[in-house]
Amino acid sequence: MKSKRITAFLMTAALMLSMTACNGGSGSSSESGSDSGAASAEQETAAATEEPAASDGDSYTIGICQMLEHPALDAATEGFQDACKEKFGEDKVEFDLQNAQGEQAMCSTIANNFVSADVDLILANATLPLQTAAQATSDIPIIGTSITDYATALEISDWTGATGVNISGTSDLAPIEEQAAMTIELLPDVKTVGILYCSAEPNSKYQAELYAEAMKEENVECKEFTAADSNEIQSVVTSAIEQCDALYIPTDNTMASNTDIVKNICVPAKIPVIAGEEGLCAGCGIATLSISYYDIGYKAGEMAYNVLADGADISTMEIESAPNVTKKYNDEICKELGITVPDDYEMVETSEE
């Protein structure tokens, strides 16, 4: 953009010198003619210097790396794009949306390709995309969304609320203490809860620890059951239901992609599942304290505008959280397990509806 402005300035200067030389060498030029030429030069100067700045300076390319296809992550991406289109203008922002299909190697490839393409900003939708983008560049601003805890994901020990580097974004962490209270509200006789998550997802472990601590206050024992990948889920869930009265699954991408496996084991065994987010609840849970992934994606889009258009310092931008949470329940599974929910719960939408 700077080179175009310099070129425009030089062209305009040359034009003005040329016109001055012509006017100075012509004895028939009147004073009014000279004024007219100056006005014309000023108009051409404005056209040459302002138009390129407007067309270049207001146009941006944003690379989006989404971990995998999932209703929650899809909603976050949609919210982000909607906010950007509204804030920048649809014709001023272009998205390069890439799906990593749940693979870490693919996340790295996508992030490196974004850096090579010199995109203006990267949206990292989920933890692995955030981590690989952070490894790929310390210059291009990175906005994260659907990240539970940035300090854990980025291994920041002295957390202050902002990362201090080229990264900010929104968190999908729902109030864990309230999820624990929901468990007791719906399952007052529960004695042992199995916490199920993928060991490769550090944010899931973070939630598991918070949930276990909250349940300890309720005199309920928690046991952790982890699967390294989707191939281990069936055996791990089978082991968990033999030892526990109920299961809790935090926001976990691996589990969210395999809710059918969890449901097909837990429902016949009459083991209820408390879910960390709405997609999990729709697939295999009885209830969740849900945030809106569209809303946190939208907020991330607003943050992207602040960085690119307003020049905000991303390193000092504090991580934003979901503004509201909602109690939701899975009507089908609750009926099958004979669980009655209070009136302040909303029914979650399932694929069958």
Side-chain angles (χ1 to χ4, degrees), residues 7-86:
T7 300
F9 176 81
L10 292 175
M11 291 175 64
T12 303
L15 178 61
M16 293 178 67
L17 287 172
S18 175
M19 293 180 66
T20 301
C22 290
N23 288 338
S26 174
S28 60
S29 296
S30 66
E31 184 176 349
S32 61
S34 178
D35 290 341
S36 174
S40 176
E42 289 176 0
Q43 292 172 354
E44 293 188 29
T45 299
T49 57
E50 291 178 6
E51 290 181 5
S55 61
D56 280 1
D58 292 341
S59 298
Y60 302 95
T61 299
I62 297 176
I64 301 176
C65 181
Q66 181 173 317
M67 182 63 184
L68 44 77
E69 293 179 8
H70 180 265
L73 301 185
D74 293 346
T77 293
E78 181 184 0
F80 178 83
Q81 291 178 311
D82 285 351
C84 287
K85 290 174 184 177
E86 290 176 20

Side-chain angles (χ1 to χ4, degrees), residues 189-265:
D189 297 325
V190 68
K191 301 299 182 185
T192 305
V193 176
I195 305 176
L196 178 67
Y197 64 94
C198 176
S199 58
E201 299 192 30
N203 280 319
S204 298
K205 180 173 179 58
Y206 173 76
Q207 294 171 81
E209 292 172 350
L210 292 179
Y211 181 83
E213 183 178 342
M215 291 300 285
K216 186 177 180 180
E217 297 294 322
E218 303 288 347
N219 297 316
V220 175
E221 180 185 6
C222 289
K223 296 182 178 181
E224 290 191 8
F225 296 87
T226 62
D229 54 39
S230 58
N231 296 322
E232 296 183 2
I233 292 177
Q234 183 166 345
S235 61
V236 170
V237 175
T238 300
S239 177
I241 66 170
E242 293 173 353
Q243 304 177 49
C244 304
D245 308 317
L247 298 182
Y248 169 72
I249 304 178
T251 54
D252 183 287
N253 293 311
T254 302
M255 295 302 166
S257 300
N258 293 275
T259 54
D260 284 345
I261 297 176
V262 179
K263 178 182 177 181
N264 292 337
I265 297 172

